[in-house]
Amino acid sequence: MSASAAANLAMTHLVPLAKEIDEDKVTPGVLGFIVFAALAVGVWMLMKSMNRHMGRVNFEEAPAPEGASAEATAGAEAEGGKKQ
């Protein structure tokens, strides 16, 4: 049996299998899976990076200097007086 005869025999058996698939059914296929997997990996990497950056943030506020807090209070009182 030659190679072309074996290929023809294989195609004769595989073509009916392909026709059994419902042609009206739409599926995402391999490309859809690859895109979805790439998006999932990208989101995972972004979350890992965000977690690392949030760990470096310092949330403690430094106390305001004495002179600056007095000026801010005086400015707020002056603005409040103008509105009334």
Side-chain angles (χ1 to χ4, degrees):
M1 184 181 279
S2 69
S4 63
N8 286 337
L9 182 63
M11 287 302 292
T12 338
H13 289 292
L14 292 177
V15 169
L17 292 175
K19 290 295 179 183
E20 290 179 13
I21 296 174
D22 186 11
E23 294 178 2
D24 295 329
K25 187 177 182 182
V26 178
T27 61
V30 177
L31 180 63
F33 174 75
I34 291 171
V35 170
F36 183 77
L39 285 172
V41 168
V43 167
W44 178 75
M45 290 172 58
L46 284 171
M47 292 293 290
K48 190 173 178 179
S49 174
M50 183 190 70
N51 197 13
R52 190 179 317 124
H53 281 84
M54 290 299 287
R56 293 179 184 168
V57 174
N58 182 8
F59 289 107
E60 295 177 13
E61 290 187 24
E66 292 296 323
S69 62
E71 290 174 6
T73 308
E77 289 175 357
E79 288 177 12
K82 290 179 186 176
K83 290 180 183 177
Q84 291 178 351

Coordinates of all heavy atoms in Angstrom, one line a residue:
M1 N 0.9 -1.2 0.0 CA 0.0 0.0 0.0 C 0.9 1.2 0.0 O 1.8 1.4 0.8 CB -0.9 0.0 1.2 CG -1.9 1.1 1.2 SD -2.9 1.1 2.7 CE -4.2 0.0 2.3
S2 N 0.6 2.2 -0.9 CA 1.5 3.4 -1.0 C 1.0 4.4 0.0 O 0.0 4.3 0.6 CB 1.4 3.9 -2.4 OG 0.1 4.5 -2.6
A3 N 1.8 5.4 0.2 CA 1.5 6.5 1.1 C 0.3 7.3 0.7 O -0.5 7.6 1.6 CB 2.7 7.5 1.3
S4 N 0.1 7.5 -0.5 CA -1.1 8.2 -1.0 C -2.4 7.4 -0.8 O -3.4 7.9 -0.5 CB -1.0 8.6 -2.4 OG -0.9 7.5 -3.3
A5 N -2.2 6.1 -0.9 CA -3.4 5.2 -0.7 C -3.8 5.2 0.8 O -5.0 5.2 1.1 CB -3.1 3.8 -1.2
A6 N -2.7 5.2 1.6 CA -3.0 5.3 3.1 C -3.6 6.6 3.5 O -4.5 6.6 4.3 CB -1.7 5.0 3.8
A7 N -3.2 7.7 2.8 CA -3.7 9.0 3.1 C -5.2 9.1 2.7 O -6.0 9.6 3.4 CB -2.9 10.1 2.5
N8 N -5.5 8.5 1.5 CA -6.8 8.5 1.0 C -7.7 7.7 1.9 O -8.9 8.1 2.1 CB -6.9 8.0 -0.5 CG -6.3 9.0 -1.5 OD1 -6.3 10.2 -1.2 ND2 -5.9 8.5 -2.6
L9 N -7.2 6.5 2.4 CA -8.0 5.7 3.2 C -8.3 6.4 4.6 O -9.4 6.4 5.1 CB -7.3 4.4 3.5 CG -8.0 3.4 4.4 CD1 -9.3 2.9 3.7 CD2 -7.1 2.2 4.7
A10 N -7.3 7.1 5.1 CA -7.5 7.9 6.3 C -8.5 9.0 6.1 O -9.4 9.2 7.0 CB -6.2 8.4 6.8
M11 N -8.4 9.7 5.0 CA -9.4 10.8 4.7 C -10.8 10.3 4.6 O -11.7 10.9 5.0 CB -8.9 11.5 3.5 CG -7.7 12.4 3.7 SD -7.9 13.6 5.0 CE -9.1 14.7 4.2
T12 N -10.9 9.1 4.0 CA -12.3 8.5 3.8 C -12.9 8.2 5.1 O -14.1 8.3 5.3 CB -12.2 7.2 3.0 OG1 -11.0 7.1 2.2 CG2 -13.4 7.1 2.1
H13 N -12.1 7.8 6.1 CA -12.6 7.5 7.4 C -12.8 8.8 8.3 O -13.7 8.8 9.1 CB -11.7 6.5 8.2 CG -11.8 5.1 7.6 ND1 -12.9 4.3 7.6 CD2 -10.9 4.4 6.9 CE1 -12.7 3.2 7.0 NE2 -11.4 3.2 6.6
L14 N -12.0 9.8 8.1 CA -12.1 11.0 8.9 C -13.2 12.0 8.4 O -13.7 12.7 9.2 CB -10.8 11.7 8.9 CG -9.7 11.0 9.7 CD1 -8.4 11.7 9.6 CD2 -10.0 10.8 11.1
V15 N -13.5 12.0 7.1 CA -14.5 13.0 6.6 C -15.9 12.7 7.2 O -16.5 13.7 7.6 CB -14.5 12.9 5.0 CG1 -15.7 13.7 4.5 CG2 -13.2 13.5 4.5
P16 N -16.3 11.5 7.3 CA -17.6 11.3 8.0 C -17.6 11.8 9.4 O -18.6 12.2 9.9 CB -17.9 9.8 7.9 CG -17.1 9.3 6.8 CD -15.9 10.2 6.7
L17 N -16.5 11.6 10.1 CA -16.4 12.1 11.5 C -16.6 13.6 11.6 O -17.2 14.1 12.5 CB -15.1 11.7 12.1 CG -14.9 10.2 12.4 CD1 -13.5 9.9 12.9 CD2 -15.9 9.7 13.4
A18 N -16.0 14.3 10.6 CA -16.1 15.8 10.6 C -17.5 16.2 10.3 O -17.9 17.3 10.7 CB -15.1 16.3 9.6
K19 N -18.2 15.5 9.5 CA -19.6 15.9 9.1 C -20.5 15.6 10.2 O -21.6 16.2 10.2 CB -20.0 15.1 7.9 CG -19.3 15.5 6.6 CD -19.6 16.9 6.3 CE -18.9 17.3 5.0 NZ -19.2 18.7 4.7
E20 N -20.2 14.8 11.2 CA -21.1 14.6 12.4 C -21.1 15.8 13.3 O -22.1 16.0 14.1 CB -20.6 13.4 13.2 CG -20.8 12.1 12.5 CD -20.3 10.9 13.3 OE1 -20.0 11.1 14.5 OE2 -20.2 9.8 12.7
I21 N -20.2 16.8 13.1 CA -20.2 18.0 13.9 C -21.4 18.9 13.4 O -21.5 19.1 12.2 CB -18.9 18.7 13.8 CG1 -17.8 17.9 14.4 CG2 -18.9 20.1 14.5 CD1 -16.4 18.4 14.3
D22 N -22.1 19.4 14.4 CA -23.2 20.3 14.0 C -22.7 21.6 13.4 O -22.0 22.3 14.1 CB -24.1 20.5 15.2 CG -25.3 21.3 14.9 OD1 -25.7 21.5 13.7 OD2 -26.0 21.8 15.9
E23 N -23.0 21.9 12.2 CA -22.4 23.1 11.6 C -23.1 24.4 12.1 O -22.6 25.5 11.8 CB -22.6 23.0 10.0 CG -21.7 21.9 9.5 CD -21.8 21.7 8.0 OE1 -22.6 22.5 7.4 OE2 -21.2 20.9 7.4
D24 N -24.3 24.3 12.7 CA -25.0 25.4 13.2 C -24.5 25.8 14.6 O -24.8 26.9 15.1 CB -26.5 25.2 13.3 CG -27.1 25.0 11.9 OD1 -26.6 25.6 11.0 OD2 -28.0 24.2 11.8
K25 N -23.7 25.0 15.2 CA -23.2 25.3 16.6 C -21.9 26.1 16.5 O -21.0 25.7 15.8 CB -22.9 23.9 17.3 CG -22.5 24.1 18.7 CD -22.3 22.7 19.3 CE -22.0 22.8 20.8 NZ -21.8 21.4 21.4
V26 N -21.9 27.2 17.2 CA -20.7 28.1 17.2 C -19.9 27.9 18.5 O -20.5 28.0 19.6 CB -21.1 29.5 17.0 CG1 -19.9 30.4 17.0 CG2 -21.9 29.7 15.7
T27 N -18.6 27.6 18.4 CA -17.8 27.5 19.6 C -16.6 28.4 19.5 O -16.2 28.7 18.4 CB -17.3 26.0 19.7 OG1 -16.6 25.7 18.6 CG2 -18.5 25.1 19.9
P28 N -16.0 28.8 20.6 CA -14.8 29.7 20.5 C -13.6 29.0 20.0 O -12.7 29.6 19.4 CB -14.6 30.1 22.0 CG -15.3 29.1 22.8 CD -16.4 28.5 22.0
G29 N -13.5 27.7 20.1 CA -12.4 27.0 19.6 C -11.1 27.2 20.3 O -11.0 27.7 21.4
V30 N -10.0 26.8 19.7 CA -8.7 26.8 20.3 C -8.2 28.3 20.5 O -7.6 28.7 21.5 CB -7.7 26.0 19.5 CG1 -6.3 26.2 20.0 CG2 -8.1 24.6 19.4
L31 N -8.5 29.1 19.4 CA -8.1 30.5 19.5 C -8.7 31.2 20.6 O -8.1 32.0 21.4 CB -8.4 31.2 18.2 CG -8.0 32.7 18.1 CD1 -6.5 32.8 18.3 CD2 -8.5 33.3 16.8
G32 N -10.0 31.0 20.9 CA -10.7 31.6 22.0 C -10.1 31.2 23.3 O -10.0 32.0 24.2
F33 N -9.7 29.9 23.4 CA -9.1 29.4 24.7 C -7.8 30.1 24.9 O -7.4 30.5 26.0 CB -8.9 27.9 24.6 CG -8.2 27.4 25.8 CD1 -8.8 27.3 27.1 CD2 -6.9 27.0 25.7 CE1 -8.1 26.8 28.2 CE2 -6.1 26.6 26.8 CZ -6.8 26.5 28.0
I34 N -7.0 30.2 23.8 CA -5.7 30.9 24.0 C -5.8 32.3 24.4 O -5.1 32.8 25.3 CB -4.9 30.7 22.6 CG1 -4.5 29.3 22.4 CG2 -3.6 31.6 22.6 CD1 -3.9 29.0 21.1
V35 N -6.7 33.1 23.8 CA -6.9 34.5 24.1 C -7.4 34.6 25.6 O -6.9 35.4 26.4 CB -8.0 35.1 23.2 CG1 -8.4 36.5 23.7 CG2 -7.4 35.2 21.8
F36 N -8.3 33.7 26.0 CA -8.8 33.7 27.4 C -7.7 33.4 28.4 O -7.6 34.1 29.4 CB -10.0 32.7 27.5 CG -10.6 32.8 28.9 CD1 -11.5 33.8 29.3 CD2 -10.3 31.8 29.8 CE1 -12.0 33.8 30.6 CE2 -10.8 31.8 31.1 CZ -11.7 32.8 31.5
A37 N -6.9 32.4 28.0 CA -5.8 32.1 28.9 C -4.8 33.2 29.0 O -4.2 33.5 30.1 CB -5.1 30.8 28.4
A38 N -4.5 33.9 27.9 CA -3.5 35.0 27.9 C -4.1 36.1 28.8 O -3.3 36.8 29.5 CB -3.3 35.5 26.5
L39 N -5.4 36.4 28.7 CA -6.0 37.5 29.5 C -5.9 37.1 31.0 O -5.7 37.9 31.8 CB -7.5 37.7 29.1 CG -7.7 38.4 27.8 CD1 -9.1 38.4 27.4 CD2 -7.2 39.9 27.9
A40 N -6.2 35.8 31.3 CA -6.1 35.4 32.7 C -4.7 35.5 33.2 O -4.5 36.0 34.4 CB -6.6 33.9 32.8
V41 N -3.7 35.2 32.5 CA -2.3 35.3 32.9 C -2.0 36.8 33.1 O -1.3 37.2 34.1 CB -1.3 34.6 31.9 CG1 0.1 35.0 32.2 CG2 -1.5 33.1 32.0
G42 N -2.4 37.6 32.2 CA -2.2 39.1 32.3 C -2.8 39.7 33.5 O -2.2 40.4 34.3
V43 N -4.1 39.3 33.8 CA -4.7 39.8 35.0 C -4.0 39.3 36.3 O -3.8 40.0 37.3 CB -6.2 39.3 35.1 CG1 -6.8 39.6 36.4 CG2 -7.0 40.1 34.0
W44 N -3.6 38.0 36.3 CA -2.8 37.5 37.4 C -1.5 38.3 37.7 O -1.2 38.6 38.8 CB -2.5 36.0 37.2 CG -1.7 35.4 38.3 CD1 -2.2 35.0 39.5 CD2 -0.3 35.0 38.2 NE1 -1.1 34.5 40.2 CE2 0.0 34.5 39.5 CE3 0.6 35.2 37.3 CZ2 1.3 34.0 39.8 CZ3 1.9 34.7 37.6 CH2 2.2 34.2 38.8
M45 N -0.8 38.6 36.6 CA 0.4 39.3 36.7 C 0.2 40.8 37.2 O 0.9 41.3 38.1 CB 1.2 39.4 35.4 CG 1.8 38.0 35.0 SD 2.4 38.0 33.3 CE 3.7 39.3 33.4
L46 N -0.9 41.4 36.7 CA -1.3 42.7 37.2 C -1.6 42.7 38.7 O -1.3 43.6 39.4 CB -2.4 43.3 36.4 CG -2.0 43.8 35.0 CD1 -3.3 44.2 34.2 CD2 -1.1 45.0 35.1
M47 N -2.4 41.7 39.1 CA -2.8 41.6 40.5 C -1.5 41.4 41.4 O -1.4 42.0 42.5 CB -3.8 40.5 40.7 CG -5.1 40.8 40.1 SD -6.0 42.1 40.9 CE -6.4 41.3 42.4
K48 N -0.6 40.6 40.9 CA 0.6 40.3 41.7 C 1.4 41.6 41.8 O 1.9 41.9 42.9 CB 1.4 39.2 41.0 CG 2.6 38.7 41.8 CD 3.2 37.5 41.0 CE 4.4 37.0 41.8 NZ 5.0 35.9 41.2
S49 N 1.5 42.4 40.7 CA 2.3 43.6 40.7 C 1.6 44.7 41.7 O 2.3 45.4 42.4 CB 2.4 44.2 39.3 OG 2.9 45.5 39.3
M50 N 0.2 44.7 41.6 CA -0.5 45.7 42.4 C -0.3 45.3 43.9 O -0.1 46.2 44.7 CB -2.0 45.7 42.1 CG -2.8 46.7 42.9 SD -4.6 46.5 42.7 CE -4.8 45.0 43.6
N51 N -0.3 44.1 44.2 CA -0.2 43.6 45.6 C 1.2 44.0 46.1 O 1.4 44.5 47.2 CB -0.3 42.1 45.7 CG -0.6 41.7 47.1 OD1 -0.8 42.5 48.0 ND2 -0.5 40.4 47.3
R52 N 2.2 43.9 45.3 CA 3.6 44.3 45.6 C 3.7 45.8 45.9 O 4.3 46.3 46.8 CB 4.6 43.8 44.5 CG 6.0 44.0 44.9 CD 7.0 43.5 43.8 NE 6.6 42.3 43.2 CZ 6.4 42.2 41.9 NH1 6.6 43.2 41.1 NH2 6.1 41.0 41.4
H53 N 3.1 46.6 45.0 CA 3.1 48.0 45.1 C 2.3 48.5 46.3 O 2.7 49.5 47.0 CB 2.6 48.7 43.8 CG 3.6 48.7 42.7 ND1 3.8 47.7 41.9 CD2 4.5 49.7 42.3 CE1 4.7 48.0 41.0 NE2 5.2 49.2 41.3
M54 N 1.2 47.9 46.6 CA 0.4 48.3 47.8 C 1.1 48.0 49.1 O 0.9 48.7 50.1 CB -1.0 47.6 47.7 CG -1.9 48.1 46.7 SD -2.3 49.9 46.8 CE -3.4 49.8 48.2
G55 N 2.0 47.0 49.1 CA 2.8 46.6 50.2 C 3.8 47.7 50.5 O 4.2 47.8 51.7
R56 N 4.2 48.4 49.5 CA 5.3 49.4 49.7 C 4.7 50.8 50.1 O 5.5 51.7 50.5 CB 6.0 49.6 48.4 CG 6.8 48.4 48.0 CD 7.5 48.7 46.7 NE 8.2 47.5 46.2 CZ 8.7 47.3 45.0 NH1 8.6 48.3 44.1 NH2 9.3 46.2 44.7
V57 N 3.4 51.0 50.1 CA 2.8 52.3 50.4 C 2.9 52.5 51.9 O 2.5 51.6 52.7 CB 1.4 52.3 49.9 CG1 0.7 53.6 50.3 CG2 1.4 52.2 48.4
N58 N 3.2 53.7 52.3 CA 3.3 54.1 53.7 C 2.0 54.9 54.0 O 1.9 56.0 53.5 CB 4.5 54.9 54.0 CG 4.6 55.3 55.5 OD1 3.9 54.8 56.3 ND2 5.6 56.1 55.8
F59 N 1.1 54.4 54.8 CA -0.1 55.1 55.1 C -0.1 56.0 56.3 O -1.1 56.7 56.6 CB -1.3 54.1 55.3 CG -1.7 53.4 54.0 CD1 -1.3 52.1 53.8 CD2 -2.4 54.0 53.0 CE1 -1.7 51.4 52.6 CE2 -2.7 53.4 51.9 CZ -2.4 52.1 51.7
E60 N 1.0 56.1 57.0 CA 1.1 56.9 58.2 C 1.3 58.3 57.8 O 2.2 58.6 57.0 CB 2.3 56.4 59.1 CG 2.0 55.0 59.6 CD 3.2 54.6 60.5 OE1 4.1 55.4 60.8 OE2 3.3 53.4 60.7
E61 N 0.5 59.3 58.4 CA 0.7 60.7 58.1 C 1.6 61.3 59.1 O 1.6 61.0 60.2 CB -0.7 61.4 58.2 CG -1.6 61.0 57.0 CD -2.9 61.9 57.1 OE1 -2.8 63.0 57.6 OE2 -3.9 61.4 56.6
A62 N 2.5 62.2 58.5 CA 3.4 62.9 59.4 C 2.6 64.0 60.1 O 1.7 64.6 59.5 CB 4.5 63.5 58.6
P63 N 2.9 64.3 61.4 CA 2.2 65.4 62.1 C 2.5 66.7 61.4 O 3.7 66.9 61.0 CB 2.7 65.3 63.5 CG 4.0 64.5 63.4 CD 3.9 63.6 62.2
A64 N 1.5 67.6 61.3 CA 1.7 68.9 60.7 C 2.6 69.8 61.6 O 2.4 69.7 62.9 CB 0.4 69.6 60.4
P65 N 3.4 70.6 61.1 CA 4.2 71.6 61.9 C 3.3 72.5 62.7 O 2.1 72.8 62.2 CB 5.1 72.3 60.9 CG 5.0 71.6 59.7 CD 3.8 70.7 59.7
E66 N 3.7 73.1 63.8 CA 2.9 73.9 64.6 C 2.4 75.2 63.9 O 1.3 75.6 63.9 CB 3.7 74.4 65.9 CG 3.9 73.2 66.8 CD 2.6 72.7 67.4 OE1 1.7 73.4 67.7 OE2 2.6 71.4 67.6
G67 N 3.3 75.8 63.1 CA 3.0 77.1 62.4 C 2.0 76.8 61.3 O 1.1 77.6 61.0
A68 N 2.1 75.7 60.6 CA 1.2 75.4 59.5 C -0.2 75.1 60.0 O -1.2 75.5 59.3 CB 1.8 74.2 58.7
S69 N -0.3 74.4 61.1 CA -1.7 74.1 61.6 C -2.4 75.4 62.0 O -3.6 75.5 61.8 CB -1.6 73.1 62.7 OG -0.9 73.6 63.8
A70 N -1.7 76.3 62.6 CA -2.3 77.5 63.1 C -2.8 78.4 61.9 O -3.8 79.0 61.9 CB -1.3 78.3 64.0
E71 N -1.9 78.4 60.9 CA -2.3 79.2 59.6 C -3.5 78.6 59.0 O -4.4 79.3 58.5 CB -1.1 79.2 58.7 CG 0.0 80.1 59.2 CD 1.2 80.0 58.3 OE1 1.1 79.4 57.2 OE2 2.3 80.6 58.6
A72 N -3.6 77.2 58.9 CA -4.7 76.5 58.3 C -6.0 76.8 59.0 O -7.0 77.0 58.4 CB -4.4 75.0 58.2
T73 N -5.9 76.8 60.4 CA -7.1 77.1 61.2 C -7.6 78.5 61.0 O -8.8 78.7 60.9 CB -6.8 76.8 62.7 OG1 -6.2 75.5 62.8 CG2 -8.0 76.9 63.5
A74 N -6.6 79.4 61.0 CA -7.0 80.8 60.8 C -7.6 81.1 59.4 O -8.6 81.8 59.3 CB -5.8 81.7 61.0
G75 N -7.1 80.4 58.4 CA -7.6 80.5 57.0 C -9.0 79.9 56.9 O -9.9 80.5 56.3
A76 N -9.3 78.8 57.6 CA -10.6 78.2 57.6 C -11.6 79.1 58.3 O -12.7 79.3 57.9 CB -10.5 76.9 58.2
E77 N -11.2 79.7 59.4 CA -12.1 80.6 60.1 C -12.4 81.9 59.3 O -13.5 82.4 59.3 CB -11.5 81.0 61.5 CG -11.4 79.9 62.5 CD -10.7 80.3 63.8 OE1 -10.2 81.4 63.8 OE2 -10.6 79.4 64.7
A78 N -11.4 82.4 58.6 CA -11.6 83.6 57.8 C -12.6 83.3 56.6 O -13.5 84.1 56.3 CB -10.3 84.1 57.2
E79 N -12.5 82.1 56.0 CA -13.4 81.7 55.0 C -14.8 81.5 55.5 O -15.8 81.9 54.9 CB -12.9 80.5 54.3 CG -11.7 80.6 53.4 CD -11.2 79.3 52.8 OE1 -11.9 78.3 52.9 OE2 -10.1 79.3 52.3
G80 N -14.9 80.9 56.7 CA -16.2 80.7 57.3 C -16.9 82.1 57.6 O -18.1 82.2 57.5
G81 N -16.1 83.1 58.0 CA -16.6 84.4 58.4 C -17.1 85.1 57.1 O -18.1 85.8 57.2
K82 N -16.5 84.9 56.0 CA -17.0 85.6 54.8 C -18.3 85.0 54.3 O -19.1 85.7 53.7 CB -15.9 85.4 53.7 CG -14.6 86.2 53.9 CD -13.6 85.9 52.8 CE -12.3 86.6 53.1 NZ -11.3 86.3 52.1
K83 N -18.5 83.7 54.5 CA -19.7 83.1 53.9 C -20.9 83.5 54.7 O -22.0 83.5 54.2 CB -19.6 81.6 54.0 CG -18.5 81.0 53.0 CD -18.4 79.5 53.1 CE -17.4 79.0 52.1 NZ -17.2 77.6 52.2
Q84 N -20.8 83.9 56.0 CA -21.9 84.2 56.8 C -22.4 85.5 56.6 O -22.2 86.5 56.4 CB -21.6 83.9 58.3 CG -21.4 82.5 58.6 CD -21.0 82.2 60.0 OE1 -20.8 83.2 60.8 NE2 -21.1 81.0 60.4

